[in-house]
Amino acid sequence: MPKVRTTSLSRRGLLAAGGAVGLGAVLAACGDEKKGSGSGSSSEKSGPWTFKDDRGLTAKAKSTPKNIVAFTGVAAALHDYGIEVKGVFGPTKTKDGKADVQAGDLDISKVEILGNVWGEFNVEKYAALGPELLVTAMWEKDALWYVPDESKDKILKLAPSVALWAAQTTIPKAIQRHEDLAASLGADVKAAKITAAKARFEKAAARLRAAAKSKPNIKVVIGSASQDLFYVSLAKTSADTLYFQELGVKFVEPKVNAAGFFEELSWENVDKYDADIIMMDNRSSALQPDALTSKPTWAQLPAVKAGQVIPRTTEPIYSYDKCAPILEDLAKAIEGAKKAG
């Protein structure tokens, strides 16, 4: 967890710092594939390029952008469609030098990392890349994820920008928007690997729906841990958990704070809600279950005792390839779950 004072954080900062729990609330293997080899190769397009983003703004260029800089998770999604970026910002590299979970199959040795944690964005390096397009996620309307407010104006002057919803949407809708962007940038979205991944995703969605229907009494809590607090997220505020909810998964509904995304609980009160499965924020900014063994209240939770704690991909990479396993894993967990809470 970044060592930051809550009082100095914006709402977005809280989401990034770990309270992002349910939401991408307040978050791999390194690939070594050549451009286009993974999902669908990009094709050259001539003439003017435009794309209307989720702010309702239209990005424009005289030709299809090639020098693209993106938030790490968005870059990973574009990579799955065969579109490569020059630079990234956001959680990309762990302390031991490996790819962060949010980097997906990106070869992080081949991209310029402009910032690796919240608040970092090297404007000079960005300018040196000759950017033709900036792409990031959006958790709140018009707020560009991991683009620092203090340098936003300088950054946005250098290239057109695109923001895609990571909240106030669902996984299928978010994937579609990332696919739309990739297609506009020249991706072959009808490539065999992409259509196969879509078929797997649809099969996984049907499996999760069936699992939820077969276990209607299983209740899930969406958690994220820091040293001092346990955050419980509201399912409807994130694209992943809202979609799971639509498929029939039952979630604990916390009494959220003013920001509306999650409730902060002290470790003494971590047992406030009964749950049979705990989905734990898998981002590098959050403490993982193996780091919580010293907390007695954690160990006494029914779901923990039952061994029903699973990772949650809090900030999904919005491609069919990366989202299908998320649905499969949750379906498997519910299928095998016993009433614990």
Side-chain angles (χ1 to χ4, degrees):
M1 292 283 291
K3 293 183 179 178
V4 286
R5 290 177 299 174
T6 302
T7 53
S8 68
L9 287 177
S10 65
R11 180 171 162 188
R12 285 192 301 144
L14 274 174
L15 294 178
V21 130
L23 182 191
V26 201
L27 266 51
C30 294
D32 196 22
E33 298 173 287
K34 294 182 180 179
K35 181 176 180 179
S37 63
S39 357
S41 55
S42 57
S43 56
E44 293 295 325
K45 284 189 174 184
S46 58
W49 173 87
T50 63
F51 184 83
K52 188 174 182 178
D53 76 355
D54 291 348
R55 294 171 295 181
L57 301 180
T58 299
K60 299 178 181 180
K62 292 181 179 179
S63 60
T64 303
K66 294 291 184 291
N67 285 357
I68 303 166
V69 173
F71 171 69
T72 303
V74 177
L78 291 175
H79 169 84
D80 286 351
Y81 284 101
I83 302 297
E84 305 299 345
V85 305
K86 297 291 185 181
V88 295
F89 54 95
T92 306
K93 184 184 293 187
T94 60
K95 291 179 180 179
D96 59 4
K98 295 180 181 179
D100 188 274
V101 65
Q102 294 191 64
D105 292 333
L106 284 178
D107 184 341
I108 62 172
S109 70
K110 294 182 178 179
V111 292
E112 184 75 51
I113 300 174
L114 304 177
N116 199 57
V117 298
W118 183 260
E120 281 186 359
F121 192 113
N122 191 312
V123 182
E124 290 72 24
K125 283 186 178 181
Y126 176 59
L129 290 174
E132 297 172 335
L133 179 65
L134 177 80
V135 192
T136 191
M138 185 168 64
W139 287 95
E140 299 176 280
K141 188 70 167 72
D142 300 329
L144 303 182
W145 195 231
Y146 272 80
V147 176
D149 289 336
E150 58 271 20
S151 53
K152 181 179 68 175
D153 291 345
K154 291 181 181 179
I155 293 166
L156 295 182
K157 285 179 181 178
L158 295 173
S161 63
V162 164
L164 300 178
W165 273 120
Q168 302 184 39
T169 187
T170 62
I171 286 180
K173 291 176 182 178
I175 292 175
Q176 185 60 59
R177 291 296 287 149
H178 285 70
E179 185 172 288
D180 291 345
L181 176 60
S184 81
L185 295 170
D188 177 9
V189 298
K190 301 298 183 183
K193 189 167 184 179
I194 293 173
T195 56
K198 183 176 182 179
R200 179 184 174 187
F201 176 87
E202 291 171 345
K203 183 178 179 180
R207 179 183 173 185
L208 180 55
R209 186 188 296 275
K213 186 176 181 180
S214 71
K215 296 283 186 77
N217 296 322
I218 294 297
K219 188 165 283 190
V220 183
V221 70
I222 310 161
S224 185
S226 72
Q227 193 59 46
D228 299 321
L229 295 171
F230 184 76
Y231 302 88
V232 178
S233 284
L234 187 62
K236 68 180 183 180
T237 56
S238 297
D240 61 332
T241 46
L242 173 57
Y243 183 52
F244 303 156
Q245 200 169 44
E246 290 180 351
L247 292 175
V249 178
K250 305 295 193 301
F251 288 100
V252 164
E253 294 196 8
K255 296 180 180 179
V256 296
N257 61 20
F261 289 119
F262 51 83
E263 178 180 3
E264 303 101 325
L265 298 176
S266 67
W267 283 104
E268 289 76 15
N269 296 314
V270 74
D271 61 352
K272 180 176 179 178
Y273 299 106
D274 289 333
D276 307 296
I277 295 174
I278 302 175
M279 296 180 69
M280 288 293 286
D281 187 348
N282 74 336
R283 296 174 302 167
S284 55
S285 63
L287 292 182
Q288 299 307 303
D290 59 2
L292 302 176
T293 55
S294 63
K295 296 186 181 296
T297 51
W298 166 260
Q300 293 303 310
L301 292 175
V304 176
K305 285 184 173 182
Q308 294 176 175
V309 179
I310 62 173
R312 179 203 172 203
T313 304
T314 304
E315 293 187 50
I317 293 166
Y318 290 115
S319 68
Y320 291 113
D321 182 70
K322 295 300 181 294
C323 288
I326 295 173
L327 272 62
E328 292 167 349
D329 290 346
L330 181 55
K332 181 179 179 181
I334 292 174
E335 289 164 354
K338 296 179 181 179
K339 193 67 184 167

